[in-house]
Amino acid sequence: MASEQPVQTPATGGSLEDRITKPEEPQPSNTAEKDAEKTSSQTDGTPATLGGSALLEPEYTVEVKLSDLQADPNNPLYSAKTFEELGLDQRILQGLLAMNFRKPSKIQERALPLLLGNPPKNLVGQSQSGTGKTAAFVLNVLSRLDLSTEQMQKTPQALILAPTRELTRQIVGVVQVMGQFLEGLIIGTAVRADTNSQLPKMDCSVVVGTPGTVMNMIKKRVMIPARLRVLVLDEADNMLEQQGLGDQCIRVKAMLPKDLQVVLFSATFPAHVHRYASKFAPAANEITLQHEELTVEGIKQFFLDCSSGEDKYQTLVQLYGLLTVGSSIIFVNSRSAAAEIEKRMVAEGHTVASLTSSIEGSQRDAVIDRFRSGEAKVLIATNVLARGIDVSTVSMVINYDVPEIHDRGKPRQADYQTYLHRIGRTGRFGRVGVAITFVSDRLEWEILNSIQRYFNTEIERIDTRDWDEVERIIKKTIKNPRSQATFGK
């Protein structure tokens, strides 16, 4: 996409609307048909029963950095063109077939030979949403299990850590479907139980959980990690950088056997986190995807000029009819904002649900399940849902609040990674989606403008003075055949 110069604003005077210059209209694209022709029936890993999406291979090249200088790039298994040539157990191949996996995606093509090699080697992998990273690390986990005795079936041999219970449950679904033909496979889910609930004993071969709960389980000896062979961190940049999660991941790793295989996957790896990842997974092979653009292709990005905080809410209510065309997620920066918006909209007769970290675990599960099934069409969420979640029906994302980094004593600044992950909940795997950001003051607009410059992308202004035109612009995108949940299936 062509670079756009930052929009200039005068230092003083005039309404926000008057201070913003409308970007040039984008040229119509004729690539939709070509994209559709390239669509594969393969999914990223999330089963269709959980609302998973078809995988559309984006244009990118995969770079591999081998820690072992003796590795032979000419070896036929350096890059696998078929799953069969990897020597996988037939029962795992059956599971892949059941998931419509016909051949490895580009990231799987390069990652799987490195992951499955013996002796096991650590891996640090950068992989965009929709490239098959979940399936890659789950395939490795299943291939390293010993299920030959009842005792081993009940012994934790692989641990997969994720930042949220929602992503944890999604990964459990992938393991269940891919491993459905492995007799004796037992999967344990390690997420925070509701108040006063006891921690369950992890008599299972694979544990998928959040770092804090896993740490408590090991301390209380309801999970015995002595026989673990593989540790996976999904959304690894978030897991290693966030102070709470980072500390917990370090403590968990210190409790585990020293000789296990460490696998880190993430869509984004800021340089300082990447340096730390290299220490967390020493002597690791590395895989990076070189993209011309980091923002998600196929997502039409807009912003709406709102005159105040109250005007934001009234604008959201105006958009409600469009939000329910498919499914939509409204992202806010605080739990209190989520609760307030939900309360007001429900009182006015609108059907919405909210999901934040303050809600009890079982209630959170019920909310996300209602959203996946389509029973709830509009979901208000904090950043707890910004990463990894794949719901194929999501056609629109609203940034009710511009994503910001709040450091005490420092000026407010854009949270670029969160913006990318939030809008990535729509436009999944080759579909078209809409991302709309509300802007209500000069600082919010400056933050959004910095996001536009950072990603070298276009965020187009929609004039809210003509709601018929607003509806026409948005409907044109979300009613595109490529925005439908069935696209690519």
Side-chain angles (χ1 to χ4, degrees):
M1 192 178 293
S3 172
E4 179 186 286
Q5 294 301 312
V7 182
Q8 300 298 315
T9 59
T12 59
S15 69
L16 179 70
E17 188 174 350
D18 293 334
R19 294 199 307 268
I20 298 174
T21 304
K22 186 175 181 180
E24 291 181 12
E25 290 293 331
Q27 295 301 309
S29 170
N30 63 352
T31 59
E33 292 81 4
K34 295 178 184 177
D35 289 342
E37 288 172 8
K38 294 188 286 183
T39 306
S40 162
S41 60
Q42 178 171 320
T43 65
D44 180 41
T46 310
T49 52
L50 290 180
S53 301
L55 182 150
L56 180 75
E57 283 276 44
E59 292 299 323
Y60 56 74
T61 56
V62 178
E63 283 196 359
V64 181
K65 175 185 171 186
L66 297 170
S67 64
D68 183 357
L69 297 178
Q70 300 303 311
D72 181 8
N74 297 314
N75 186 303
L77 286 186
Y78 177 78
S79 175
K81 299 298 182 185
T82 68
F83 289 113
E84 286 75 15
E85 69 186 89
L86 292 166
L88 296 169
D89 187 302
Q90 275 302 125
R91 296 168 298 176
I92 296 176
L93 288 173
Q94 271 185 279
L96 287 169
L97 200 60
M99 298 178 74
N100 285 327
F101 275 57
R102 307 300 182 202
K103 61 181 181 130
S105 66
K106 290 180 182 178
I107 187 69
Q108 292 163 356
E109 183 181 304
R110 291 298 177 89
L112 287 168
L114 302 178
L115 281 169
L116 294 166
N118 282 307
K121 295 277 293 183
N122 295 343
L123 179 74
V124 176
Q126 182 183 9
S127 171
Q128 293 285 12
S129 295
T131 55
K133 67 183 175 64
T134 307
F137 66 68
V138 169
L139 195 56
N140 177 57
V141 161
L142 294 177
S143 297
R144 296 202 177 277
L145 299 178
D146 174 5
L147 304 175
S148 58
T149 66
E150 186 178 346
Q151 182 181 352
M152 289 305 293
Q153 292 165 12
K154 294 182 177 181
T155 300
Q157 299 172 55
L159 172 61
I160 303 171
L161 294 178
T164 64
R165 70 182 294 122
E166 287 73 27
L167 187 51
T168 294
R169 294 178 71 231
Q170 184 171 289
I171 294 169
V172 167
V174 178
V175 181
Q176 286 172 336
V177 176
M178 191 177 287
Q180 63 186 291
F181 300 105
L182 284 174
E183 190 177 342
L185 174 65
I186 305 173
I187 307 159
T189 306
V191 293
R192 185 188 296 174
D194 289 351
T195 308
N196 300 324
S197 297
Q198 284 191 328
L199 290 171
K201 197 168 191 307
M202 290 288 104
D203 289 332
C204 53
S205 33
V206 178
V207 178
V208 188
T210 51
T213 301
V214 169
M215 184 170 64
N216 288 339
M217 285 181 164
I218 295 173
K219 283 180 178 177
K220 295 182 178 179
R221 300 192 62 77
V222 295
M223 175 180 166
I224 308 300
R227 303 295 293 272
L228 281 177
R229 303 174 177 190
V230 187
L231 169 64
V232 178
L233 264 61
D234 195 13
E235 303 293 344
D237 64 326
N238 183 244
M239 299 282 273
L240 295 177
E241 183 176 38
Q242 235 182 42
Q243 189 168 358
L245 288 180
D247 290 345
Q248 290 168 358
C249 288
I250 293 166
R251 291 179 186 178
V252 168
K253 186 169 182 274
M255 299 172 174
L256 308 182
K258 304 302 178 194
D259 59 347
L260 50 59
Q261 180 187 33
V262 180
V263 178
L264 310 179
F265 264 114
S266 184
T268 50
F269 261 121
H272 65 288
V273 180
H274 186 271
R275 286 193 295 272
Y276 182 69
S278 301
K279 295 179 182 178
F280 194 88
N285 293 320
E286 293 185 19
I287 291 182
T288 54
L289 306 185
Q290 299 300 311
H291 292 258
E292 290 186 7
E293 293 180 344
L294 195 57
T295 48
V296 185
E297 190 178 344
I299 299 177
K300 191 68 177 162
Q301 300 171 66
F302 299 106
F303 72 90
L304 296 183
D305 174 11
C306 305
S307 60
S308 64
E310 176 59 26
D311 190 32
K312 273 189 182 183
Y313 176 75
Q314 296 303 332
T315 301
L316 183 65
V317 172
Q318 283 266 46
L319 282 172
Y320 182 81
L322 293 173
L323 294 173
T324 54
V325 170
S327 296
S328 302
I329 303 176
I330 302 162
F331 281 108
V332 294
N333 288 347
S334 68
R335 294 179 294 190
S336 59
E340 179 64 22
I341 294 169
E342 180 188 25
K343 181 181 174 182
R344 288 185 67 178
M345 291 192 78
V346 169
E348 293 176 26
H350 301 294
T351 303
V352 297
S354 73
L355 196 149
T356 68
S357 57
S358 63
I359 301 171
E360 284 276 15
S362 58
Q363 190 180 343
R364 277 172 68 175
D365 296 345
V367 169
I368 193 69
D369 289 346
R370 283 175 56 218
F371 188 62
R372 283 192 185 281
S373 69
E375 185 184 338
K377 292 275 194 180
V378 180
L379 186 63
I380 305 164
T382 54
N383 289 335
V384 72
L385 214 65
R387 284 175 173 262
I389 297 301
D390 171 22
V391 179
S392 63
T393 54
V394 174
S395 56
M396 197 181 333
V397 164
I398 302 285
N399 285 311
Y400 189 88
D401 296 322
V402 180
E404 299 178 38
I405 296 172
H406 291 280
D407 284 340
R408 283 185 181 178
K410 292 184 179 180
R412 290 161 60 189
Q413 55 184 308
D415 187 340
Y416 304 116
Q417 309 304 329
T418 294
Y419 179 83
L420 181 67
H421 284 285
R422 279 184 182 183
I423 71 169
R425 296 315 98 212
T426 187
R428 304 286 289 172
F429 316 133
R431 293 194 182 88
V432 170
V434 175
I436 301 175
T437 302
F438 290 179
V439 175
S440 65
D441 59 37
R442 185 188 181 93
L443 182 55
E444 286 182 349
W445 179 80
E446 288 173 348
I447 289 172
L448 185 65
N449 201 34
S450 74
I451 290 172
Q452 182 173 245
R453 290 195 304 269
Y454 182 86
F455 289 118
N456 190 29
T457 192
E458 179 183 66
I459 304 177
E460 182 182 342
R461 176 174 173 260
I462 301 180
D463 190 340
T464 55
R465 288 175 297 189
D466 183 350
W467 273 98
D468 289 339
E469 180 65 6
V470 171
E471 289 198 15
R472 187 194 68 78
I473 292 170
I474 296 172
K475 277 183 178 176
K476 183 179 176 182
T477 303
I478 61 177
K479 292 197 171 182
N480 184 306
R482 280 184 56 202
S483 71
Q484 306 306 308
T486 52
F487 176 75
K489 288 188 175 180

